[in-house]
Amino acid sequence: MTASPNIGSPALDSALSTHVPPVAPCLDALTLAHREAAYSRFVQRVRRRYASELDCLPPGAPVHASMQACLAQLLARSLAMPAALRVLRQLVLERLVVLDCEQDAPLQAVTRAVTELAELALDAACTLAFAELDDLYGAPLAEGGTRAQLWVIGMGKLGARELNVSSDIDLIYVYDADGETAGNAQGRNRISNHEYFGKAVKHIYNTVGETTEHGNVFRVDLALRPNGNSGPSAVSLGALEEYFLVQGREWERFAWLKSRLIAPAACVRDKSANGLRGAVLPFVFRKYLDYNVFDSLRSLHRQIREHASKRAAGNPGRANDVKLSRGGIREIEFTVQLLQVVRGGQFPELRTRPTLDALQRLCKANLMPPATAEALATAYDFLRRVEHRIQYLDDQQTHVMPTRDDDLAWLAATMGCATVCEFLRALDAHRETVAQEFDILLGGTSGGGCNGAGCNGKNGATRSAVDSLQGVLPQLPEAFAAKVAQWCEHPRVLALREDARLRLVRLVERTGAWLEEGRVNEQAALRLADWIEPLLRRESYLALLQERPSVHERLLRLLGAAKWPARYLLKHPGVIDELASQQLLTDRFDALQFEVELENRRDALRSTDEDDEETLLNLLRRAHHAEVFRTLARDLEGVLSVEQVADDLSALADTMLRVTARWCWGRLKNRHREEPAFAIIGYGKLGGKELGYGSDLDIVFVYEDEDENAGEIYAAFVRKMINWMTVKTGEGDLFEIDTALRPNGNSGMLVTSFTAYANYQQQRGSNTAWTWEHQAMTRARAVLGSPAMFARFDAIRESVITAERDSTALAAEIVAMREKVRAAHPVRGDMFDVKHSHGGMVDVEFVVQFLVLSQSREHPELRLNTGNINLLQRAEAAGLLRPGMGQAASDAYRVLRQIQHRARLDEAPTQVDAALVASEAAAVQALWQHVLGTPPGA
């Protein structure tokens, strides 16, 4: 066959000039003639050399089935498998140039075709290699005589199904078991499995990667394997696990993030390589939020840019690299992968390989604003299409923009631009967007330094971290300086790596600078020191605070506001990452979105067989703790009122009960139906939607199921639910559960039938509820169950609270019960307890309960469980209270709740100077006197 002319030769330049009219880059409009696939020098070569084979590939976008059919035709033409694969590749790429450049095929159609070509080729190469090696040495055997398997792991773009048209393929070969082969037909030539698979790797390379007269199928790179080019070509699974534990480096986690089993196809289908997942996932995704990777990625990116700069030093054109230059494809990939690696351990729904899919998931998880995700996705699509066109020109693995005017004109035209300058402006705009977002994420190249007036950026270069700590002490207030001075000899500080100690120094310097500027108070600094000291072994928290000054400052403000947040953060330190959220102070709790996110995380865990019970328990706890912390942050920043805090915490508890019930039922061994015929009744603060931080849940479980084993089944279900909510794991617990309000209290059944519950509450039979239980019913509501069960509970509640009663006897019982409560909570001295003193919150609650039980029969507006404040206002509107009395009492109740709420946040007593709440107490006392007569304790 006649040799093709060399690229750049006069003969070829002359030939090309007939395909693309010459243009002045910013003046001449580009036409359809400028976007013909025939301009590609690669396409011209294929069409000349393989003219008779072009029709072997079925019409349309190449996919696995059509490529397999084409391969079969090529083999039928007496081509050997290696040659047939190479010719197939030429035909596929020629087709892609036509589809992409002339017909605007989507990016995914191109990357899918190239990826499926690689999968097909590697599977065929494995089949060839194993057949030949088995004849020579016999099959490799694992313990028990089963065949040992070799897994071809695709990394990078191959793993993510994002191969570009001239990609090399990054492979790692892993085999599942050591041992030796069975020997050939004569029982000879036994070799170790390690040797067998080493020979298989060479054979596969010869089939796929070796350059012949037809070129190669793919260039093959094994540099990402353990120990790089100095390591064995194939490693055992055990050796890989040990490598991850002992030697695995941070940058390798990014490489393994996109890893995927590519071949043999049989192993992909039967999922026999699932054991590999157990080694890879914990290496890539850490249990805690992992901000240590920021420095690693900075270092890696710096090396890439330095390498690109060196390559461009002798050739300025290389500086315009759409992959590696500033704002290139690599920076989009780094941005996405960094957020995935940092958070993927706790948020499994982020674990996806394709870049565009990951951007969507980051946006859904509120880790990236929608506008940013859209801009990066658009830039990624644009840059990848440019990259393909650069490679279409000559089938070279290059990402550097061409310098010839006719090449640029063709490239611009195939991108749909009217002129070359329009194309270049669009390219620059996308790259600038990418570069800005990348720099924002990594904070430039400063390494997350001090960012405060009192910082010494050279500390790390000239002095040890301990010396630096001592050096910063004179700049600090006395109490904070004394605390930091203790760190200079603290074993945990001394045990830190030097880079982690330097992070600690920078945090202290930044905190000191903010103290001097008055941005934070010293109490906050002291609480920060107390908070961070037990966590020094978890260096990722130091990294997070250093990398995110805004998180550091918000954390200090929260710690300075009250004591309880500091204690909560000590128990659940991972939640501080929520402070980085841009929506933290603007959003409210969204139950539907929260529930969807939980289900997405469980689905992600199920897809990797990680959805065991302990993992799900921890998933629920982390999600709950994070949401409580979001509410706490909004509360302390003054974004939410006390009532809104209670509403959000109550809605969160409802959601946790709903999700926990669904997940427990799905895992119940003796469940007999798809959905449980079951309801949860909330009492007390949960029923009244007045939950506070750390409140327990007063709940009653009921069922309505005719199955003969229903009692036993639902009892097991409820025990499982209570265990899921109360058991302490490494992530803590969810709630304390109190079921004492069930029929017959702690001596009654843990779960009861709805009929028995209704009979008990409605005074049917000899076993009936007490008055105090009917008081509790005024604040009860159905939290979980079917619409029919909600309606049935509402009917039971209404029948209870509207039952005909002797008001005088009821008042006497309620006053007596109030006396018991008062006696159990004595108030010493002249202080006023906002909850238990006469004129306090309990008085309001008892008055409301009396009004509901005695008056709702005649006044339907009192039947709804709308909360004490609203019910007082309704009672006044109904004429049951003097004008202004209900409003005054409700205002007083709100103030007392605010005082109680604030005191609990600061872990302070709820007893205050009586003079401070004299008007509120008077309003409540007047209410009590008007409704119930004799004041409590009188």
Side-chain angles (χ1 to χ4, degrees):
M1 186 171 286
T2 305
S4 301
N6 292 326
I7 296 170
S9 69
L12 183 57
D13 289 345
S14 175
L16 291 175
S17 67
T18 63
H19 288 285
V20 176
V23 295
C26 292
L27 299 177
D28 292 349
L30 301 172
T31 66
L32 289 175
H34 291 93
R35 60 182 296 181
E36 290 180 358
Y39 175 77
S40 159
R41 295 175 282 274
F42 162 72
V43 168
Q44 293 173 40
R45 293 196 299 270
V46 172
R47 289 177 178 177
R48 284 196 302 270
R49 182 162 187 184
Y50 300 108
S52 62
E53 287 84 10
L54 285 171
D55 62 352
C56 291
L57 184 63
V63 294
H64 191 280
S66 63
M67 288 186 281
Q68 191 73 57
C70 180
L71 180 62
Q73 287 197 50
L74 294 172
L75 292 171
R77 296 187 181 195
S78 301
L79 286 174
M81 179 63 78
L85 288 171
R86 283 159 174 77
V87 175
L88 172 63
R89 187 232 180 220
Q90 306 287 339
L91 304 182
V92 167
L93 264 63
E94 186 272 344
R95 175 70 55 79
L96 291 178
V97 181
V98 174
L99 294 173
D100 196 358
C101 298
E102 296 182 1
Q103 301 177 27
D104 297 318
L107 173 64
Q108 287 79 2
V110 177
T111 55
R112 175 188 174 184
V114 184
T115 300
E116 291 188 358
L117 173 63
E119 294 168 348
L120 184 155
L122 287 167
D123 183 55
C126 286
T127 301
L128 276 181
F130 298 158
E132 182 174 316
L133 294 173
D134 282 4
D135 283 344
L136 292 172
Y137 308 106
L141 300 178
E143 187 175 348
T146 58
R147 183 183 182 99
Q149 298 290 345
L150 177 69
W151 300 321
V152 185
I153 310 302
M155 310 293 281
K157 287 185 167 62
L158 174 57
R161 296 183 171 90
E162 297 173 329
L163 279 181
N164 61 51
V165 292
S166 291
S167 278
D168 60 0
I169 51 176
D170 294 300
L171 301 179
I172 294 177
Y173 293 92
V174 180
Y175 57 93
D176 63 349
D178 286 309
E180 65 175 18
T181 64
N184 60 19
Q186 291 76 40
R188 300 175 181 174
N189 291 350
R190 286 191 177 90
I191 60 175
S192 70
N193 288 355
H194 182 75
E195 292 175 278
Y196 177 99
F197 292 126
K199 293 177 185 294
V201 170
K202 292 178 182 177
H203 199 291
I204 292 169
Y205 173 80
N206 291 339
T207 303
V208 174
E210 188 175 41
T211 301
T212 71
E213 61 172 319
H214 298 291
N216 55 37
V217 191
F218 288 96
R219 292 172 294 275
V220 177
D221 190 341
L222 303 184
L224 292 177
R225 68 187 186 271
N227 297 305
N229 290 329
S230 62
S233 57
V235 297
S236 69
L237 179 57
L240 179 67
E241 291 174 326
E242 183 177 358
Y243 178 83
F244 284 159
L245 287 172
V246 178
Q247 295 178 261
R249 290 159 290 183
E250 294 289 349
W251 68 263
E252 290 177 289
R253 295 170 60 197
F254 292 92
W256 280 93
L257 170 65
K258 294 194 173 189
S259 63
R260 178 172 64 94
L261 176 65
I262 304 299
C267 291
V268 177
R269 288 191 297 268
D270 65 20
K271 299 183 179 180
S272 59
N274 281 354
L276 181 65
R277 185 183 296 145
V280 173
L281 285 177
F283 173 64
V284 176
F285 301 110
R286 303 295 161 83
K287 181 179 179 182
Y288 299 101
L289 292 165
D290 187 8
Y291 276 80
N292 285 315
V293 297
F294 273 77
D295 276 345
S296 301
L297 190 57
R298 271 199 200 93
S299 176
L300 179 59
H301 184 255
R302 186 166 53 249
Q303 292 172 28
I304 291 171
R305 276 196 176 170
E306 288 172 356
H307 178 65
S309 298
K310 290 176 182 176
R311 291 176 63 211
N315 185 351
R318 288 187 176 276
N320 205 0
D321 188 311
V322 297
K323 179 178 180 181
L324 300 179
S325 294
R326 182 175 184 272
I329 296 166
R330 180 58 54 84
E331 292 192 353
I332 301 175
E333 293 171 339
F334 276 4
T335 297
V336 172
Q337 290 171 19
L338 179 58
L339 292 173
Q340 287 181 286
V341 170
V342 166
R343 300 178 179 251
Q346 292 199 358
F347 302 99
E349 68 271 26
L350 300 180
R351 302 175 190 174
T352 186
R353 301 179 184 93
T355 301
L356 292 174
D357 182 42
L359 277 169
Q360 292 179 9
R361 296 188 185 207
L362 290 169
C363 182
K364 287 181 181 178
N366 293 322
L367 299 177
M368 183 179 287
T372 300
E374 179 63 29
L376 290 180
T378 302
Y380 182 80
D381 183 87
F382 185 92
L383 293 171
R384 287 297 308 274
R385 289 166 58 226
V386 172
E387 175 189 43
H388 286 164
R389 282 149 179 76
I390 293 171
Q391 295 172 350
Y392 289 148
L393 286 168
D394 298 297
D395 189 24
Q396 296 294 309
Q397 189 190 12
T398 179
H399 317 278
V400 177
M401 290 290 294
T403 55
R404 286 174 36 165
D405 286 348
D406 50 355
D407 285 353
L408 278 173
W410 180 77
L411 200 156
T414 60
M415 289 294 293
C417 296
T419 66
V420 172
C421 279
E422 178 187 322
F423 163 70
L424 293 175
R425 283 193 295 268
L427 176 65
D428 287 344
H430 285 304
R431 289 173 62 177
E432 185 59 30
T433 296
V434 173
Q436 288 179 4
E437 291 302 328
F438 184 77
D439 288 343
I440 289 171
L441 181 67
L442 285 186
T445 57
S446 66
C450 173
N451 194 34
C455 304
N456 178 359
K458 297 182 180 180
N459 277 346
T462 58
R463 309 164 62 192
S464 76
V466 172
D467 289 342
S468 298
L469 273 178
Q470 293 172 335
V472 79
L473 293 179
Q475 306 169 30
L476 305 178
E478 183 178 352
F480 187 43
K483 183 67 178 177
V484 172
Q486 298 172 11
W487 286 353
C488 295
E489 301 297 329
H490 198 292
R492 284 186 181 144
V493 174
L494 297 176
L496 289 173
R497 295 179 303 173
E498 188 65 16
D499 60 339
R501 286 203 295 267
L502 286 172
R503 286 193 179 111
L504 182 61
V505 170
R506 290 177 186 139
L507 290 176
V508 171
E509 289 175 335
R510 188 195 287 158
T511 303
W514 288 346
L515 283 168
E516 186 177 343
E517 295 167 14
R519 288 166 67 173
V520 299
N521 60 51
E522 188 174 7
Q523 187 63 253
L526 290 171
R527 287 174 181 162
L528 175 69
D530 289 337
W531 174 78
I532 212 168
E533 188 175 296
L535 301 172
L536 286 172
R537 290 196 183 101
R538 299 185 191 175
E539 296 177 9
S540 59
Y541 294 117
L542 295 176
L544 165 60
L545 295 177
Q546 180 196 349
E547 293 290 346
R548 293 286 184 263
S550 61
V551 173
H552 182 194
E553 185 173 7
R554 272 186 177 177
L555 176 62
L556 283 165
R557 286 209 308 270
L558 287 179
L559 293 173
K563 289 180 181 177
W564 191 83
R567 191 182 303 279
Y568 189 80
L569 282 164
L570 193 58
K571 289 173 64 177
H572 312 296
V575 301
I576 65 165
D577 188 63
E578 299 300 325
L579 295 174
S581 169
Q582 296 178 343
Q583 294 82 24
L584 177 67
L585 299 182
T586 57
D587 291 354
R588 289 279 300 276
F589 173 65
D590 184 328
L592 178 60
Q593 180 183 346
F594 180 80
E595 197 165 340
V596 168
E597 288 173 357
L598 277 175
E599 291 296 344
N600 287 341
R601 286 175 200 164
R602 185 176 68 148
D603 290 345
L605 290 169
R606 185 188 292 131
S607 70
T608 54
D609 296 325
E610 295 178 277
D611 59 334
D612 59 275
E613 192 159 301
E614 182 179 1
T615 300
L616 294 182
L617 289 174
N618 285 331
L619 169 59
L620 291 172
R621 281 150 178 73
R622 281 194 297 268
H624 177 256
H625 300 331
E627 194 58 51
V628 168
F629 183 69
R630 293 185 196 111
T631 300
L632 174 64
R634 295 167 191 145
D635 181 6
L636 293 175
E637 292 284 357
V639 175
L640 300 181
S641 67
V642 174
E643 289 83 2
Q644 289 173 322
V645 170
D647 286 344
D648 286 0
L649 291 177
S650 300
L652 174 60
D654 289 358
T655 308
M656 296 307 299
L657 286 168
R658 193 161 53 244
V659 173
T660 302
R662 184 163 60 246
W663 292 5
C664 284
W665 184 257
R667 301 175 78 90
L668 192 68
K669 293 179 180 178
N670 60 342
R671 68 189 177 102
H672 60 299
R673 54 193 299 163
E674 282 302 309
E675 298 291 334
F678 165 85
I680 295 178
I681 313 303
Y683 283 83
K685 292 186 180 301
L686 176 63
K689 297 185 179 179
E690 294 183 350
L691 281 185
Y693 303 111
S695 291
D696 59 4
L697 303 185
D698 293 302
I699 53 182
V700 169
F701 301 95
V702 296
Y703 67 90
E704 190 167 46
D705 193 325
E706 298 302 321
D707 188 275
E708 61 180 352
N709 297 315
E712 179 183 338
I713 292 169
Y714 289 104
F717 175 40
V718 167
R719 285 195 295 270
K720 189 177 189 70
M721 269 196 72
I722 292 175
N723 180 65
W724 270 48
M725 289 185 286
T726 61
V727 68
K728 292 189 183 299
T729 72
E731 299 289 345
D733 60 5
L734 285 176
F735 300 102
E736 290 295 323
I737 302 297
D738 189 342
T739 60
L741 287 171
R742 66 187 187 269
N744 298 307
N746 290 330
S747 62
M749 301 287 290
L750 188 59
V751 58
T752 187
S753 71
F754 225 141
T755 300
Y757 174 80
N759 290 339
Y760 182 81
Q761 294 291 350
Q762 294 172 319
Q763 309 292 310
R764 296 176 187 153
S766 58
N767 183 31
T768 58
W770 297 78
T771 298
W772 66 265
E773 291 177 284
H774 287 171
Q775 288 179 250
M777 183 65 90
T778 64
R779 304 181 72 191
R781 64 186 175 92
V783 172
L784 172 68
S786 67
M789 298 187 86
F790 268 60
R792 184 170 183 191
F793 169 76
D794 288 342
I796 295 170
R797 177 181 177 275
E798 184 166 328
S799 73
V800 169
I801 64 176
T802 60
E804 191 169 355
R805 291 180 173 86
D806 183 327
S807 293
T808 303
L810 176 64
E813 286 191 71
I814 286 180
V815 169
M817 180 58 67
R818 177 67 184 94
E819 272 299 293
K820 289 182 180 179
V821 173
R822 186 188 66 81
H825 298 86
V827 181
R828 295 177 176 80
D830 296 327
M831 301 296 285
F832 182 88
D833 188 305
V834 297
K835 182 174 183 180
H836 293 291
S837 289
H838 176 40
M841 293 166 60
V842 174
D843 282 3
V844 174
E845 293 162 0
F846 272 61
V847 167
V848 170
Q849 290 163 15
F850 172 78
L851 289 171
V852 170
L853 291 175
S854 64
Q855 302 297 328
S856 60
R857 184 179 179 87
E858 301 298 330
H859 296 279
E861 62 268 35
L862 298 182
R863 296 174 189 174
L864 292 178
N865 182 4
T866 57
N868 292 310
I869 290 174
N870 182 262
L871 286 170
L872 283 171
Q873 294 166 349
R874 290 184 179 217
E876 180 181 320
L880 300 173
L881 303 176
R882 288 196 295 265
M885 176 175 284
Q887 187 62 54
S890 63
D891 290 344
Y893 185 73
R894 181 179 286 112
V895 170
L896 296 175
R897 277 188 68 185
Q898 290 169 346
I899 294 172
Q900 181 195 52
H901 182 73
R902 201 72 206 169
R904 288 181 172 173
L905 278 177
D906 210 29
E907 298 183 344
T910 57
Q911 297 182 4
V912 300
D913 185 341
L916 296 176
V917 290
S919 61
E920 287 77 17
V924 175
Q925 289 165 1
L927 173 72
W928 181 279
Q929 181 69 39
H930 177 77
V931 175
L932 291 170
T934 306

